[in-house]
Amino acid sequence: MLTGLDHLAAGGPAAQRVRGTNVAVLAHPASVTRELVHAVDVLIGQGARLKVVFGPEHGFGGEAQDMIGVEDARDRHGIPIRSLYGQDFSALVPRDEDLADIELLVIDLQDVGARYYTFVWTALLAARKCHQLGKRVLVLDRPNPIGGAPSCVEGQRQRPDHRSFVGLEALPIRHSLTLGEILAWRADEEGIPPEQLEIAAVHDWVREEHATVWDRPFVMPSPNMPTYHTALVYPGGCLLEGTNLSEGRGTTRPFEIFGAPWLDGQKLALDFHALGYAGVRVRPLTFQPMFHKHAGQVCGGVQVHVDDPATFRPVACYVALVALAHKQDPERFRFRTERYEFVDDIPAFDLLTGDGEARALIATGAAAHDVAQMVSRLRNGDLEIVRSARESLVRRTC
């Protein structure tokens, strides 16, 4: 398997696009070749005149925690690093002056297959800005670490009034696409011509395969995405951000481990197993987050263990777990109402699930399985979007 960056490093058509060209790159720690050479070094080695580096949420180096604004800096070559994650939504878009001398923006970001993961939306905002300014974009695509088969698509699209930085455009929660496919789809929808946005596609990726069989390490793209297993549960685990349950930040297994000081993990595990979900078991445990929610407090909770990635449905499982946690102690369970990814007036759980229905049902004590089924099932048009995105990439492959 070869990623877009691997092709560029080997001197393929992508290398011809950057050689002798004033280039900016949008990248992060996982923007590396199979030999773990970073995109910045590959671009310089291929003769690009690298003028500016852009970093997404968590920063170019991946040091910052979630929803922490990142300052501008310089890299080890002295090249300016411009942050695309600050204190407000406007900071997510490249500034005109940073693109003034740029002919081509290269985008190389590892996505993890869930619409909440913000890197794809940073990439889309940057591509839109380049289109506005008449600049070209080259996307170095990467495979989806949790699989690209249609059978793994799960979770409803968000309503138009529930789009945000955790979903700028309507997609199923677990979409099975690559970042390049999503950008190609949006470029077709928004009238960005193929000559202005090209994709260096992944070669020889078997869509049914996950990152466990790739011929390279899984490189963490953000501080709380340390392993493939984190990515596998993340389409469900991210929903915990919309509650007062610790999602395991401050532990070594974020999103796999979760809980709260008042939660009975033993009861939660028993109640969950009674629902009969395939491919997964949960184990009761206690843990003490070192930072973030409930920092320094001993929490009861569970760890999610995936036995069979092919049958595991993360969205359904985690919605059910949230509903069961609420039912266990509705007085102390709380949905997040604080500002979330630049949105003040819509609860985070609603932004993540796509509307307010799931939160309302959980609050009334509805059956966990019923709520999970409602959020996780696909609607008319969901798979058509997925197919359209894949077709769009073919038309834009360089």
Side-chain angles (χ1 to χ4, degrees):
M1 183 190 71
L2 296 175
T3 67
L5 183 63
D6 292 329
H7 284 289
L8 191 151
Q16 299 170 25
R17 304 294 194 274
V18 306
R19 199 165 292 137
T21 302
N22 288 357
V23 168
V25 63
L26 170 55
H28 61 186
S31 307
V32 295
T33 66
R34 181 166 52 193
E35 290 75 28
L36 304 182
V37 180
H38 196 273
V40 165
D41 299 300
V42 173
L43 287 166
I44 293 172
Q46 288 295 333
R49 295 194 292 265
L50 190 55
K51 299 295 185 179
V52 62
V53 173
F54 292 108
E57 184 176 8
H58 308 292
F60 171 67
E63 306 95 346
Q65 287 295 322
D66 64 310
M67 291 182 278
I68 301 295
V70 180
E71 299 297 323
D72 293 344
R74 287 187 179 271
D75 83 339
R76 65 185 185 281
H77 303 287
I79 299 169
I81 300 174
R82 298 292 183 242
S83 170
L84 296 183
Y85 195 85
Q87 303 305 320
D88 54 41
F89 195 88
S90 66
L92 305 177
V93 182
R95 296 171 292 196
D96 289 11
E97 56 266 32
D98 291 328
L99 293 170
D101 298 327
I102 299 304
E103 300 168 83
L104 176 70
L105 171 66
V106 176
I107 299 174
D108 184 12
L109 297 170
Q110 178 65 63
D111 188 48
V112 297
R115 76 150 182 263
Y116 331 117
Y117 207 54
T118 61
F119 296 147
V120 67
W121 308 121
T122 297
L124 178 59
L125 290 170
R128 286 172 172 170
K129 185 67 172 183
C130 286
H131 177 54
Q132 176 189 333
L133 297 177
K135 311 290 183 177
R136 292 180 292 120
V137 175
L138 173 64
V139 181
L140 306 179
D141 207 10
R142 293 181 172 272
N144 187 323
I146 62 171
S151 59
C152 72
V153 179
E154 184 191 16
Q156 64 183 6
R157 285 176 286 165
Q158 68 276 48
R159 284 184 358 195
D161 58 352
H162 280 61
R163 297 181 191 178
S164 70
F165 193 48
V166 286
L168 286 183
E169 296 296 334
L171 274 178
I173 293 172
R174 182 180 178 183
H175 48 65
S176 83
L177 298 169
T178 69
L179 182 143
E181 288 168 338
I182 294 172
L183 290 189
W185 163 59
R186 292 314 310 164
D188 279 357
E189 291 289 314
E190 297 174 23
I192 301 175
E195 62 270 19
Q196 196 173 0
L197 190 145
E198 291 185 291
I199 316 286
V202 183
H203 284 205
D204 296 326
W205 172 44
V206 178
R207 297 195 75 101
E208 291 76 16
E209 292 181 346
H210 290 204
T212 46
V213 299
W214 295 354
D215 57 349
R216 63 194 70 215
F218 180 90
V219 178
M220 55 193 292
S222 58
N224 289 288
M225 193 60 62
T227 72
Y228 151 77
H229 295 94
T230 321
L232 184 59
V233 302
Y234 182 76
C238 185
L239 296 171
L240 299 165
E241 293 184 6
T243 75
N244 65 344
L245 299 171
S246 165
E247 61 268 22
R249 282 188 167 90
T251 77
T252 58
R253 287 289 188 176
F255 301 108
E256 294 176 69
I257 288 173
F258 72 92
W262 45 265
L263 195 66
D264 182 340
Q266 187 72 39
K267 176 173 171 48
L268 183 62
L270 289 171
D271 290 345
F272 176 75
H273 288 143
L275 298 177
Y277 286 105
V280 61
R281 289 177 290 167
V282 301
R283 177 180 61 87
L285 83 168
T286 56
F287 65 98
Q288 187 175 19
M290 299 304 293
F291 58 85
H292 216 265
K293 297 175 188 171
H294 311 305
Q297 300 181 62
V298 175
C299 296
V302 296
Q303 181 172 357
V304 176
H305 297 272
V306 179
D307 295 323
D308 182 8
T311 59
F312 172 57
R313 293 295 175 261
V315 177
C317 289
Y318 274 82
V319 171
L321 285 162
V322 169
L324 292 171
H326 170 271
K327 187 169 291 188
Q328 189 178 121
D329 196 335
E331 294 301 316
R332 285 187 283 187
F333 178 98
R334 186 176 63 81
F335 285 105
R336 180 190 180 117
T337 55
E338 299 87 351
R339 188 174 193 244
Y340 182 74
E341 293 292 7
F342 314 107
V343 176
D344 294 306
D345 58 346
I346 301 175
F349 199 77
D350 298 5
L351 295 174
L352 294 166
T353 56
D355 59 35
E357 189 173 353
R359 179 176 54 85
L361 286 171
I362 291 171
T364 64
H369 176 72
D370 292 345
V371 184
Q373 187 177 42
M374 186 269 294
V375 176
S376 64
R377 73 171 183 266
L378 299 181
R379 272 67 166 179
N380 290 336
D382 290 349
L383 291 178
E384 284 74 12
I385 287 176
V386 171
R387 281 194 288 270
S388 176
R390 292 174 183 171
E391 293 167 1
S392 293
L393 180 133
V394 172
R395 292 192 288 271
R396 293 173 178 271
T397 297
C398 65

